[in-house]
Amino acid sequence: MKLVLNGHDERYVVEQSLMNLFPGELPVYEPVQPGDDAWAVISLKETDRCRVAVELRCHGAAASHELDCALSGSDFDREGQRRHAIARCFFLAFEKVAEQIPSGGTGSPVVKIPPWGMLTGVRPDKPVTWALAAGKTPDEARAMLEQEYFVTPERAALALETGAAALTAQKKLGPRDIAVYVGIPFCPTRCAYCSFVSQSVERSFSLVPPYVDALVEEIRSGGKMVREQGLRVRAFYMGGGTPTTLTAEQLDRVLTAFEEAFDTAPCEEITVEAGRPDTITAEKLAVLRAHGVSRLSVNPQTMEDHVLRAIGRRHTAGDIDDAMELAAKYGFPHVNMDLIAGLPEDTPEGFRRSLDRCLAFGTDNVTVHTLALKKGSRILLEGLAIPGPEAVGEMLDYAAPALRAAGYGPYYLYRQKYMSGSFENIGWCRPGAACWYNIYIMSELCSILSFGAGGSTKMVEPGTNHIERVFNLKYPKEYTERPEKCLANQAAFAAFYETLKGAN
């Protein structure tokens, strides 16, 4: 779609709106020519007020909308108000276009109002958390989502639940509380939907021992820095990749390094992903329990054997049964299982069977993801067939009532780019079983100190929208060869908290 920006250069918000409302349309910055049928002209005039006008044409329909609002506060505040006005005006013009296009019918374009309305970000429940923290009632917060952001009543009610959980988590945190993430970028094989920086161990086994050596050293230096800054670790999460790709001895080394480098007394939970059942052994689970791991994630993604084969997994649903039985023997306080709605060769009926089998295990956490089509994934590179948005909608429509009937409630959610049907990922748990780390990172409630290749360290100033980020080197080999980058990131983390000391 051709995009023309008059009086501003807010490309990001315009492109995010385009991606949300017209999936598959790519931005093209060229003048509109007579006969063009896919274009938008977004004009802005700014003084003490913000005046936005959007002209839009697509699929033979055309509409325009104008919006006028006041600007106030700091430059940062005004920037947010301006971007909100542009996104709102674009959405309202789109809504008029959508009304003109008949839905369904052979050859008719599919133009639908997204369930999350004009919200385009990863964290659509953030406005709810802010509203509740500011003293709004739950009804006022939900109405705000529906009226200000055009979210459907069903999604607004969902966001109210997860936003309230985030506010509860926020109240638990002090100004110098952080969480720790340790990344293990290795897997037995690469799944078809994956675009994470992860190495197949069968191809890169030689990288694992030096990686563990480098990771242990990084954890030790990071722990020293955290102690010097007087920070408290409230949650620990080891993800990947697949952490249980490591041997029992290697897992022991990494967890021992964490225990020796950090004061673990304030740490409320220790989570380790054991996502692939073909990496789970009694010896590894014994190590995890010996180190006080309180939460284990076993992530089948599907319990349908033909779907497992389609995504490149070399295990069966029966292997998942065995892994869950083994985990139960070691008595982990909390166990999570992940499913993905929309995988290649899956159907609504297959997804229902998968969810029902997961619920039969009695696990107290279930995360339901919507397939995100990621650049670099085998699904896109090989053009694998996947269920359409309507089928994905059927899967999610079954999941929510089934989980609620089994005693689960939603406690965190997030979105990704290019998700089927513009839906969301939801973490469900039984009462008292929430994973605090998931809430902390998804709601950006505290800093996350990340270790390992591809790690993203996030520095959050409590009570503000001020967030800074530093990144570890992306690939395991360069990570092991350049430890100075990790040390520089830790120095930046320390400097951030030194600045906060001065501000207080």
Side-chain angles (χ1 to χ4, degrees), residues 226-304:
V226 164
R227 287 176 180 269
E228 290 172 349
Q229 290 298 319
L231 306 176
R232 295 196 311 169
V233 176
R234 303 303 303 277
F236 171 96
Y237 194 103
M238 186 187 294
T242 305
T244 43
T245 301
L246 301 184
T247 65
E249 180 185 8
Q250 290 165 341
L251 287 168
D252 179 64
R253 284 190 64 201
V254 173
L255 291 168
T256 297
F258 170 67
E259 292 166 352
E260 293 177 349
F262 291 84
D263 176 9
T264 60
C267 188
E268 293 183 280
E269 62 182 23
I270 299 176
T271 302
V272 174
E273 288 186 358
R276 300 278 289 265
D278 43 348
T279 67
I280 297 173
T281 66
E283 185 182 14
K284 293 177 187 179
L285 295 184
V287 167
L288 299 185
R289 285 301 289 132
H291 283 283
V293 171
S294 54
R295 186 176 298 272
L296 189 74
S297 286
V298 180
N299 303 331
Q301 315 304 3
T302 177
M303 297 294 287
E304 297 281 284

Side-chain angles (χ1 to χ4, degrees), residues 323-462:
M324 290 297 291
E325 182 179 349
L326 189 59
K329 289 180 180 178
Y330 282 88
F332 289 92
H334 303 288
V335 178
N336 174 75
M337 300 187 79
D338 279 12
L339 292 175
I340 299 178
L343 289 173
E345 297 191 23
D346 206 359
T347 62
E349 294 75 21
F351 180 83
R352 290 171 195 152
R353 288 192 293 268
S354 293
L355 179 59
D356 290 346
R357 285 185 68 174
C358 286
L359 293 178
F361 290 120
T363 177
D364 59 7
N365 275 251
V366 176
T367 306
V368 179
H369 297 270
T370 301
L371 178 68
L373 298 175
K374 300 175 182 177
K375 295 178 181 178
S377 68
R378 192 159 57 82
I379 289 177
L380 287 184
L381 293 175
E382 299 180 11
L384 301 182
I386 57 173
E390 294 78 10
V392 174
E394 285 186 51
M395 297 175 187
L396 300 179
D397 287 345
Y398 177 79
L403 284 157
R404 289 187 188 278
Y408 298 79
Y411 74 98
Y412 82 101
L413 67 84
Y414 68 102
R415 300 174 69 204
Q416 294 168 276
K417 292 181 180 179
Y418 313 115
M419 295 183 76
S420 293
S422 193
F423 292 115
E424 65 285 314
N425 305 318
I426 305 175
W428 298 81
C429 73
R430 288 184 168 143
C435 175
W436 296 111
Y437 176 88
N438 285 336
I439 302 176
Y440 296 159
I441 189 169
M442 290 305 165
S443 296
E444 298 181 318
L445 300 180
C446 69
S447 296
I448 308 291
L449 178 59
S450 294
F451 298 101
S456 172
T457 286
K458 183 181 297 184
M459 295 163 276
V460 178
E461 181 178 354

Side-chain angles (χ1 to χ4, degrees), residues 4 25 44 129 233 352 478 483:
V4 179
E25 287 283 351
L44 172 71
T129 306
V233 176
R352 290 171 195 152
E478 61 178 351

Side-chain angles (χ1 to χ4, degrees), residues 142-197:
R142 184 175 60 243
M144 175 268 297
L145 269 192
E146 295 180 32
Q147 295 164 15
E148 290 295 317
Y149 297 96
F150 312 105
V151 176
T152 65
E154 295 79 12
R155 289 308 189 279
L158 174 63
L160 180 63
E161 292 183 86
T162 59
L167 184 61
T168 298
Q170 186 176 31
K171 292 177 178 178
K172 291 164 55 70
L173 294 170
R176 301 187 78 77
D177 286 349
I178 67 170
V180 165
Y181 177 85
V182 173
I184 308 297
F186 300 99
C187 282
T189 59
R190 190 177 183 86
C191 293
Y193 53 80
C194 183
S195 67
F196 288 126
V197 178

Side-chain angles (χ1 to χ4, degrees), residues 13-242:
V13 66
V14 172
E15 290 178 5
Q16 291 297 302
S17 295
L18 175 67
M19 185 187 308
N20 181 43
L21 303 175
F22 296 100
E25 287 283 351
L26 298 176
V28 178
Y29 292 94
E30 294 179 0
V32 176
Q33 302 295 334
D36 287 344
D37 187 48
W39 54 265
V41 178
I42 303 97
S43 302
L44 172 71
K45 291 182 180 179
E46 182 178 345
T47 53
D48 59 332
R49 301 188 66 80
C50 179
R51 295 175 174 85
V52 184
V54 173
E55 299 174 78
L56 179 63
R57 183 176 180 86
C58 197
H59 301 309
S64 62
H65 194 83
E66 295 184 5
L67 188 148
D68 186 322
C69 64
L71 297 174
S72 62
S74 66
D75 288 345
F76 180 81
D77 294 332
R78 291 168 67 94
E79 179 183 55
Q81 294 159 11
R82 179 173 66 248
R83 291 180 173 178
H84 178 82
I86 291 171
R88 183 180 178 88
C89 197
F90 197 115
F91 180 90
L92 290 169
F94 163 80
E95 200 171 41
K96 294 177 182 178
V97 165
E99 290 173 355
Q100 301 173 42
I101 300 174
S103 59
T106 304
S108 297
V110 177
V111 178
K112 292 185 177 180
I113 306 296
W116 287 102
M118 62 176 274
L119 289 173
T120 61
V122 172
R123 302 165 180 87
D125 58 351
K126 256 193 168 185
V128 170
T129 306
W130 295 336
L132 294 174
K136 298 285 188 183
T137 68
D139 285 345
E140 289 171 335
R142 184 175 60 243
M144 175 268 297
L145 269 192
E146 295 180 32
Q147 295 164 15
E148 290 295 317
Y149 297 96
F150 312 105
V151 176
T152 65
E154 295 79 12
R155 289 308 189 279
L158 174 63
L160 180 63
E161 292 183 86
T162 59
L167 184 61
T168 298
Q170 186 176 31
K171 292 177 178 178
K172 291 164 55 70
L173 294 170
R176 301 187 78 77
D177 286 349
I178 67 170
V180 165
Y181 177 85
V182 173
I184 308 297
F186 300 99
C187 282
T189 59
R190 190 177 183 86
C191 293
Y193 53 80
C194 183
S195 67
F196 288 126
V197 178
S198 58
Q199 304 280 330
S200 168
V201 168
E202 61 186 0
R203 297 184 179 180
S204 55
F205 181 78
S206 62
L207 293 176
V208 179
Y211 180 84
V212 172
D213 291 341
L215 181 61
V216 166
E217 290 305 312
E218 187 193 8
I219 291 171
R220 287 173 177 161
S221 62
K224 180 174 181 292
M225 178 270 295
V226 164
R227 287 176 180 269
E228 290 172 349
Q229 290 298 319
L231 306 176
R232 295 196 311 169
V233 176
R234 303 303 303 277
F236 171 96
Y237 194 103
M238 186 187 294
T242 305

